[in-house]
Amino acid sequence: MGFFDTFFSSVAGGGREPQKPSGVELELRRRLTVLASDEATQDAPQRYFLRWEGQVQGVGFRFTNTNLAQARSLTGWVRNMENGSVEMEIQGAPANILSHLEALHASYECMGTRFRLADAQTRAPLANEDDFIPRY
């Protein structure tokens, strides 16, 4: 099913079931929720390397992630990979990263776009980064 078929199918009420987060994403969300609720870590910047698979190229995935991250004062980068996946590093307050993940899914759910978080790894926060950018 092509992009327009998927879009018009969802608009006409023929959309798919909402996508469930992968086990990797559920674990990341759990970790971020704990960090966001702890006064000692709620404002401490966290950094994660994330790798997304599925319908993540040709659907504005980098552009959407960039806008969502910038709106939440997150820093990092996002890039397409030759194997069809998308990689990113994202940094900021745990609640902001969690909000980013939720908004990302909501942005694509109406189109029936299917993707999953295949890998999530912690990284050391970078002190000199001040924006979230797409890489080419």
Side-chain angles (χ1 to χ4, degrees):
M1 180 182 284
F3 172 78
F4 290 107
D5 295 328
T6 302
F7 177 76
F8 288 116
S9 173
S10 66
V11 170
R16 303 175 194 171
E17 289 286 317
Q19 182 173 325
K20 294 184 172 73
S22 68
V24 172
E25 186 167 349
L26 289 173
E27 176 56 27
L28 177 60
R29 286 182 184 210
R30 185 199 63 75
R31 188 178 325 151
L32 289 167
T33 300
V34 169
L35 291 169
S37 64
D38 183 348
E39 284 187 33
T41 58
Q42 66 186 5
D43 294 325
Q46 304 294 310
R47 187 175 188 89
Y48 293 94
F49 166 83
L50 307 176
R51 186 172 49 82
W52 301 92
E53 295 178 344
Q55 294 175 295
V56 290
Q57 291 193 20
V59 294
F61 201 75
R62 284 178 299 169
F63 178 77
T64 300
N65 272 288
T66 299
N67 285 339
L68 293 173
Q70 290 174 348
R72 289 161 177 76
S73 300
L74 298 170
T75 64
W77 52 264
V78 59
R79 69 177 170 212
N80 286 348
M81 303 303 294
E82 287 185 19
N83 67 2
S85 67
V86 170
E87 293 182 346
M88 79 166 74
E89 285 195 12
I90 192 164
Q91 176 175 306
N96 292 0
I97 296 173
L98 188 57
S99 173
H100 176 93
L101 295 173
E102 292 167 356
L104 180 63
H105 281 286
S107 294
Y108 285 97
E109 191 172 293
C110 66
M111 292 185 291
T113 303
R114 309 300 262 177
F115 60 88
R116 71 182 188 91
L117 183 59
D119 190 16
Q121 301 172 20
T122 58
R123 296 282 196 258
L126 300 178
N128 60 346
E129 192 173 59
D130 60 0
D131 202 4
F132 191 97
I133 58 168
R135 290 187 175 172
Y136 300 95

